[in-house]
mmCIF file of all heavy atoms in Angstrom:
data_model
loop_
_atom_site.group_PDB
_atom_site.id
_atom_site.type_symbol
_atom_site.label_atom_id
_atom_site.label_comp_id
_atom_site.label_asym_id
_atom_site.label_seq_id
_atom_site.Cartn_x
_atom_site.Cartn_y
_atom_site.Cartn_z
ATOM 1 N N ASN A 43 -18.918 -43.141 9.229
ATOM 2 C CA ASN A 43 -20.018 -43.785 8.509
ATOM 3 C C ASN A 43 -21.026 -44.398 9.480
ATOM 4 O O ASN A 43 -22.238 -44.288 9.277
ATOM 5 C CB ASN A 43 -19.489 -44.870 7.575
ATOM 6 C CG ASN A 43 -18.855 -44.293 6.323
ATOM 7 O OD1 ASN A 43 -18.954 -43.095 6.074
ATOM 8 N ND2 ASN A 43 -18.204 -45.136 5.542
ATOM 9 N N ALA A 44 -20.499 -45.017 10.536
ATOM 10 C CA ALA A 44 -21.386 -45.626 11.537
ATOM 11 C C ALA A 44 -22.233 -44.537 12.202
ATOM 12 O O ALA A 44 -23.447 -44.686 12.384
ATOM 13 C CB ALA A 44 -20.557 -46.369 12.575
ATOM 14 N N ASP A 46 -22.984 -41.578 10.960
ATOM 15 C CA ASP A 46 -23.956 -41.080 9.978
ATOM 16 C C ASP A 46 -25.173 -41.995 9.915
ATOM 17 O O ASP A 46 -26.321 -41.539 9.846
ATOM 18 C CB ASP A 46 -23.341 -41.028 8.566
ATOM 19 C CG ASP A 46 -22.289 -39.944 8.431
ATOM 20 O OD1 ASP A 46 -22.200 -39.095 9.348
ATOM 21 O OD2 ASP A 46 -21.551 -39.944 7.422
ATOM 22 N N ALA A 47 -24.902 -43.302 9.927
ATOM 23 C CA ALA A 47 -25.999 -44.279 9.833
ATOM 24 C C ALA A 47 -26.897 -44.195 11.072
ATOM 25 O O ALA A 47 -28.120 -44.313 10.981
ATOM 26 C CB ALA A 47 -25.430 -45.683 9.680
ATOM 27 N N LYS A 50 -29.099 -41.098 10.854
ATOM 28 C CA LYS A 50 -30.263 -41.311 9.984
ATOM 29 C C LYS A 50 -31.363 -42.060 10.710
ATOM 30 O O LYS A 50 -32.540 -41.710 10.623
ATOM 31 C CB LYS A 50 -29.850 -42.088 8.727
ATOM 32 C CG LYS A 50 -29.043 -41.256 7.745
ATOM 33 C CD LYS A 50 -28.646 -42.065 6.522
ATOM 34 C CE LYS A 50 -27.497 -41.382 5.775
ATOM 35 N NZ LYS A 50 -26.721 -42.320 4.973
ATOM 36 N N ASP A 82 -22.399 -50.928 14.242
ATOM 37 C CA ASP A 82 -23.332 -49.868 14.636
ATOM 38 C C ASP A 82 -24.755 -50.382 14.585
ATOM 39 O O ASP A 82 -25.041 -51.380 13.920
ATOM 40 C CB ASP A 82 -23.173 -48.649 13.719
ATOM 41 C CG ASP A 82 -23.607 -48.897 12.287
ATOM 42 O OD1 ASP A 82 -24.817 -49.127 12.073
ATOM 43 O OD2 ASP A 82 -22.742 -48.866 11.375
ATOM 44 N N VAL A 85 -29.091 -47.173 10.487
ATOM 45 C CA VAL A 85 -30.127 -47.564 9.519
ATOM 46 C C VAL A 85 -29.866 -48.865 8.783
ATOM 47 O O VAL A 85 -30.787 -49.500 8.301
ATOM 48 C CB VAL A 85 -30.353 -46.513 8.388
ATOM 49 C CG1 VAL A 85 -31.285 -45.440 8.824
ATOM 50 C CG2 VAL A 85 -29.049 -46.013 7.829
ATOM 51 N N GLY A 86 -28.578 -49.238 8.633
ATOM 52 C CA GLY A 86 -28.266 -50.427 7.854
ATOM 53 C C GLY A 86 -28.501 -50.186 6.373
ATOM 54 O O GLY A 86 -28.868 -49.085 5.959
ATOM 55 N N MET A 87 -28.268 -51.239 5.587
ATOM 56 C CA MET A 87 -28.458 -51.097 4.136
ATOM 57 C C MET A 87 -29.224 -52.287 3.576
ATOM 58 O O MET A 87 -29.036 -53.421 4.009
ATOM 59 C CB MET A 87 -27.093 -51.017 3.433
ATOM 60 C CG MET A 87 -26.404 -49.685 3.552
ATOM 61 S SD MET A 87 -24.748 -49.701 2.803
ATOM 62 C CE MET A 87 -23.750 -50.291 4.162
ATOM 63 N N ASN A 95 -23.998 -48.145 -2.744
ATOM 64 C CA ASN A 95 -23.118 -47.418 -1.819
ATOM 65 C C ASN A 95 -21.689 -47.959 -1.782
ATOM 66 O O ASN A 95 -20.744 -47.184 -1.692
ATOM 67 C CB ASN A 95 -23.685 -47.432 -0.408
ATOM 68 C CG ASN A 95 -24.994 -46.695 -0.325
ATOM 69 O OD1 ASN A 95 -25.300 -45.887 -1.195
ATOM 70 N ND2 ASN A 95 -25.775 -46.977 0.700
ATOM 71 N N LEU A 96 -21.558 -49.270 -1.827
ATOM 72 C CA LEU A 96 -20.205 -49.819 -1.697
ATOM 73 C C LEU A 96 -19.646 -50.343 -3.016
ATOM 74 O O LEU A 96 -18.468 -50.648 -3.114
ATOM 75 C CB LEU A 96 -20.184 -50.931 -0.635
ATOM 76 C CG LEU A 96 -20.667 -50.510 0.756
ATOM 77 C CD1 LEU A 96 -20.439 -51.639 1.751
ATOM 78 C CD2 LEU A 96 -19.977 -49.241 1.232
ATOM 79 N N SER A 101 -21.176 -42.041 -5.166
ATOM 80 C CA SER A 101 -22.071 -41.444 -4.175
ATOM 81 C C SER A 101 -21.329 -40.545 -3.206
ATOM 82 O O SER A 101 -21.907 -39.711 -2.536
ATOM 83 C CB SER A 101 -22.802 -42.539 -3.407
ATOM 84 O OG SER A 101 -21.898 -43.526 -3.002
ATOM 85 N N SER A 102 -20.027 -40.713 -3.159
ATOM 86 C CA SER A 102 -19.262 -39.861 -2.244
ATOM 87 C C SER A 102 -18.556 -38.770 -3.039
ATOM 88 O O SER A 102 -18.172 -38.971 -4.177
ATOM 89 C CB SER A 102 -18.255 -40.727 -1.494
ATOM 90 O OG SER A 102 -17.091 -40.017 -1.243
ATOM 91 N N GLY A 126 -13.356 -42.005 2.814
ATOM 92 C CA GLY A 126 -14.525 -42.872 2.822
ATOM 93 C C GLY A 126 -14.225 -44.329 3.053
ATOM 94 O O GLY A 126 -13.120 -44.722 3.446
ATOM 95 N N PHE A 127 -15.229 -45.094 2.749
ATOM 96 C CA PHE A 127 -15.239 -46.517 3.056
ATOM 97 C C PHE A 127 -14.010 -47.279 2.548
ATOM 98 O O PHE A 127 -13.433 -48.103 3.242
ATOM 99 C CB PHE A 127 -16.521 -47.117 2.478
ATOM 100 C CG PHE A 127 -16.587 -48.599 2.565
ATOM 101 C CD1 PHE A 127 -16.880 -49.226 3.772
ATOM 102 C CD2 PHE A 127 -16.335 -49.376 1.444
ATOM 103 C CE1 PHE A 127 -16.927 -50.603 3.854
ATOM 104 C CE2 PHE A 127 -16.382 -50.761 1.522
ATOM 105 C CZ PHE A 127 -16.674 -51.381 2.728
ATOM 106 N N THR A 172 -25.133 -52.248 10.988
ATOM 107 C CA THR A 172 -24.048 -52.688 10.111
ATOM 108 C C THR A 172 -22.808 -53.054 10.920
ATOM 109 O O THR A 172 -22.454 -52.362 11.880
ATOM 110 C CB THR A 172 -23.676 -51.546 9.133
ATOM 111 O OG1 THR A 172 -24.851 -51.164 8.417
ATOM 112 C CG2 THR A 172 -22.600 -51.974 8.152
HETATM 113 P P1 LIG B 26 -19.519 -40.944 2.369
HETATM 114 O O1 LIG B 26 -19.546 -41.295 3.827
HETATM 115 O O2 LIG B 26 -18.709 -39.722 2.086
HETATM 116 O O3 LIG B 26 -20.874 -40.901 1.735
HETATM 117 P P2 LIG B 26 -18.237 -43.497 2.151
HETATM 118 O O4 LIG B 26 -17.348 -44.076 1.103
HETATM 119 O O5 LIG B 26 -17.649 -43.360 3.507
HETATM 120 O O6 LIG B 26 -18.717 -42.102 1.590
HETATM 121 O O7 LIG B 26 -19.538 -44.350 2.271
HETATM 122 C C1 LIG B 26 -20.328 -44.612 1.121
HETATM 123 C C2 LIG B 26 -21.760 -44.860 1.490
HETATM 124 O O8 LIG B 26 -21.919 -46.171 2.051
HETATM 125 C C3 LIG B 26 -22.327 -43.946 2.553
HETATM 126 O O9 LIG B 26 -22.797 -42.747 1.981
HETATM 127 C C4 LIG B 26 -23.463 -44.775 3.133
HETATM 128 O O10 LIG B 26 -24.624 -44.642 2.325
HETATM 129 C C5 LIG B 26 -22.962 -46.194 3.001
HETATM 130 N N1 LIG B 26 -22.425 -46.674 4.268
HETATM 131 C C6 LIG B 26 -21.135 -46.804 4.613
HETATM 132 N N2 LIG B 26 -21.007 -47.278 5.865
HETATM 133 C C7 LIG B 26 -22.260 -47.458 6.338
HETATM 134 C C8 LIG B 26 -22.816 -47.927 7.589
HETATM 135 N N3 LIG B 26 -22.038 -48.275 8.603
HETATM 136 N N4 LIG B 26 -24.168 -47.974 7.691
HETATM 137 C C9 LIG B 26 -24.968 -47.605 6.660
HETATM 138 N N5 LIG B 26 -24.506 -47.153 5.481
HETATM 139 C C10 LIG B 26 -23.170 -47.078 5.317
#
Side-chain angles (χ1 to χ4, degrees):
N43 284 351
D46 290 348
K50 287 180 198 156
D82 67 66
V85 276
M87 283 176 273
N95 296 340
L96 303 187
S101 47
S102 146
F127 173 77
T172 304

